[in-house]
């Protein structure tokens, strides 16, 4: 696209500029240095306070290695996402990961891929931040709506993809981000970290993010209470009370707990918490069990590994196919390296 060939009917999208910058892990000051405009001007362009000239668009395109067309594509908006441990998470890491998820959403929303399923995501909003009943009811309702058979879920990631949710596994470059989700109305995105080779933890993360999408959507985010609610959802979704309660021990019976870990594909920590939450273990027995596990080093690395974490297939194919082909010209092929789509480390 030359300076005289900017879209006649298009409009510069300020958030596209921010998206490209954050995907490149660049600050406004760094972008300023590469394209010859002031940091204040970059800020004004990203906020929509000013519009760029054709010359400025050309400079931005060159600095960000981005086709000019990219800046004119409409943007689906949602909130910053469901991130845990916000205070310990680098803003740069969080925004880069979010930018990758936005790109995945944009490709999925085009509807040109035959690998993605139609979205079928129940909406079951919580009544308040202190509501602890809805998360449990919601988990039961989703299992019923999705026709999940009784017993352990064979593959949580596959289940999400089968119902139209985009799932990515990325190297999130920080121990403080295990997973997050973006509740786009048309194509929600769940991002799981590839940095920890822990199948049980990853399954719980996926169920936790599903809980956010089902219960919180675009209405509530960024509070400790919503994380608690998502944990309650995940526990019931993966370990239904009606099926697991009688199987849980009343004390640290490790042989039984290891067997349950293998059967239900969840961590010892999750099983102990489930036993306490459901009243199988009293507070003293739970605390003693946690201390015993900690003394053995099991809180850091649990025995009986369950194998590699579940891998998304449909969403991965979507991105790989796009960047390997010539299905569009608004994303440069070299951005595939920035996306850092990866297998489990």
């Amino acid at each position: 696209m030359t300076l005289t060939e900017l879209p006649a009917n298009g409009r510069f999208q300020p958030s596209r500029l921010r998206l490209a910058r954050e995907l490149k892990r660049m600050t406004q000051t760094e972008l300023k240095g590469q394209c010859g405009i002031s940091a204040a001007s970059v800020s004004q362009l990203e906020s929509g306070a000013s519009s760029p000239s054709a010359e400025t668009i050309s400079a931005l395109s060159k600095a960000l290695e981005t086709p000019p067309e990219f800046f004119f594509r409409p943007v689906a908006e949602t909130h910053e996402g469901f991130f845990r441990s916000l205070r310990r998470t680098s803003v740069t890491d969080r925004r880069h990961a979010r930018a990758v998820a936005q790109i995945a959403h944009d490709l999925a929303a085009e509807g040109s891929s035959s690998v993605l399923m139609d979205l079928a995501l129940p909406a079951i909003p919580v009544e308040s931040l202190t509501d602890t009943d809805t998360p449990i009811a919601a988990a039961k309702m989703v299992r019923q709506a999705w026709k999940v058979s009784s017993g352990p879920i064979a593959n949580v990631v596959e289940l999400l993809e089968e119902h139209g949710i985009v799932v990515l596994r990325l190297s999130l470059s920080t121990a403080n981000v295990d997973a997050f989700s973006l509740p786009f109305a048309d194509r929600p995105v769940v991002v799981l970290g590839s940095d920890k080779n822990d199948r049980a933890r990853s399954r719980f993360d996926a169920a936790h993010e599903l809980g956010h999408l089902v219960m919180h959507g675009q209405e509530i985010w960024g509070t400790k209470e919503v994380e608690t609610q998502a944990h309650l959802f995940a526990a019931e979704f993966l370990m239904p009370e009606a099926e697991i309660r009688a199987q849980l021990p009343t004390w640290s019976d490790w042989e039984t707990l290891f067997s349950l870990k293998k059967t239900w594909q969840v961590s010892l920590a999750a099983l102990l918490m489930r036993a306490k939450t459901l009243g199988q273990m009293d507070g003293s027995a739970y605390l003693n069990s946690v201390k015993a596990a900690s003394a053995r080093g099991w809180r850091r690395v649990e025995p009986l590994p369950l194998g590699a974490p579940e891998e998304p297939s449909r969403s991965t194919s979507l991105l790989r196919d796009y960047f390997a082909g010539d299905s569009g010209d608004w994303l440069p092929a070299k951005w595939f390296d920035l996306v850092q789509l990866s297998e489990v480390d």
Side-chain angles (χ1 to χ4, degrees):
M1 178 184 291
T2 66
L3 299 182
T4 58
E5 293 176 337
L6 298 178
N9 299 321
R11 185 172 66 86
F12 181 82
Q13 302 290 327
S15 55
R16 284 282 176 202
L17 173 56
R18 182 183 126 174
L19 177 61
R21 178 177 60 78
E22 292 177 346
L23 191 62
K24 294 278 286 184
R25 297 181 183 274
M26 292 176 66
T27 65
Q28 292 181 344
T29 299
E30 289 169 337
L31 180 56
K32 158 203 165 183
Q34 293 196 29
C35 65
I37 63 176
S38 70
S41 295
V42 174
S43 178
Q44 290 172 353
L45 290 173
E46 290 188 0
S47 69
S50 64
S51 299
S53 65
E55 291 78 6
T56 297
I57 291 174
S58 179
L60 293 169
S61 176
K62 181 178 180 180
L64 294 168
E65 300 180 295
T66 305
E69 292 89 344
F70 178 80
F71 299 121
F72 291 83
R73 294 184 66 85
V75 183
E77 301 286 357
T78 188
H79 59 63
E80 285 299 302
F82 296 105
F83 282 88
R84 281 166 271 172
S85 304
L86 283 177
R87 293 182 180 178
R88 296 186 296 155
T89 305
S90 159
V91 172
T92 300
D93 286 337
R94 186 169 74 247
R95 289 182 175 174
H96 171 80
R98 191 193 186 286
V100 173
Q102 175 86 50
I103 293 298
H105 162 269
D106 293 348
L107 291 176
E110 285 189 337
S112 58
S113 174
S114 60
V115 302
L116 298 181
M117 305 298 287
D118 292 338
L119 181 64
L121 180 67
I124 310 169
V126 293
E127 295 183 0
S128 69
L129 290 177
T130 58
D131 180 3
T132 56
D133 293 329
T134 297
I136 297 168
K140 295 176 181 178
M141 292 169 69
V142 173
R143 284 184 67 115
Q144 182 178 17
W146 285 0
K147 295 180 171 58
V148 178
S149 58
S150 60
I153 296 174
N155 190 311
V156 180
V157 168
E158 183 179 87
L159 184 63
L160 267 59
E161 288 197 303
E162 286 177 349
H163 292 87
I165 298 171
V166 176
V167 185
L168 303 179
R169 190 174 290 287
L170 306 174
S171 177
L172 297 177
S173 306
T174 171
N176 295 323
V177 178
D178 295 318
F180 70 94
S181 55
L182 295 176
F184 294 105
D186 54 350
R187 282 288 181 185
V189 180
V190 169
V191 176
L192 304 172
S194 64
D195 308 88
K196 300 179 182 67
N197 193 20
D198 190 325
R199 184 182 184 90
R201 184 169 180 173
S202 182
R203 280 166 56 89
F204 200 92
D205 285 342
H208 177 104
E209 298 307 324
L210 173 62
H212 280 313
L213 298 178
V214 169
M215 299 183 296
H216 303 130
Q218 301 192 51
E219 302 301 320
I220 313 171
W221 70 95
T223 71
K224 179 180 178 181
E225 290 83 358
V226 300
E227 299 305 323
T228 298
Q229 290 173 335
H231 263 58
L232 291 172
F233 175 97
E236 177 63 29
F237 191 69
L238 296 175
M239 301 169 281
E241 176 181 1
E243 299 176 46
I244 202 171
R245 177 194 279 274
Q247 301 176 24
L248 292 167
T250 59
W251 58 287
S252 52
D253 177 353
W254 300 119
E255 183 177 355
T256 296
L257 288 165
F258 288 148
S259 177
L260 290 174
K261 175 178 180 176
K262 186 176 181 180
T263 298
W264 290 90
Q265 298 284 288
V266 295
S267 67
L268 288 177
L271 287 166
L272 289 174
M273 178 58 72
R274 195 67 173 141
K276 177 189 175 187
T277 301
L278 296 181
Q280 289 295 97
M281 278 191 186
D282 61 26
S284 177
Y286 170 77
L287 184 59
N288 288 336
S289 298
V290 170
K291 287 181 177 179
S294 181
R296 292 170 170 81
W298 295 351
R299 296 192 69 181
R300 185 174 60 87
V301 179
E302 290 190 358
L304 191 67
L306 299 176
E310 300 162 351
E311 290 286 353
S313 58
R314 295 178 183 275
S315 308
T316 301
S317 295
L318 169 74
L319 286 175
R320 292 195 189 282
D321 291 350
Y322 181 89
F323 283 105
D326 56 359
S327 56
D329 59 1
W330 62 279
L331 286 177
K334 65 180 62 177
W335 272 21
F336 185 73
D337 294 331
L338 297 177
V339 167
Q340 295 179 331
L341 195 67
S342 60
E343 305 298 327
V344 176
D345 291 345

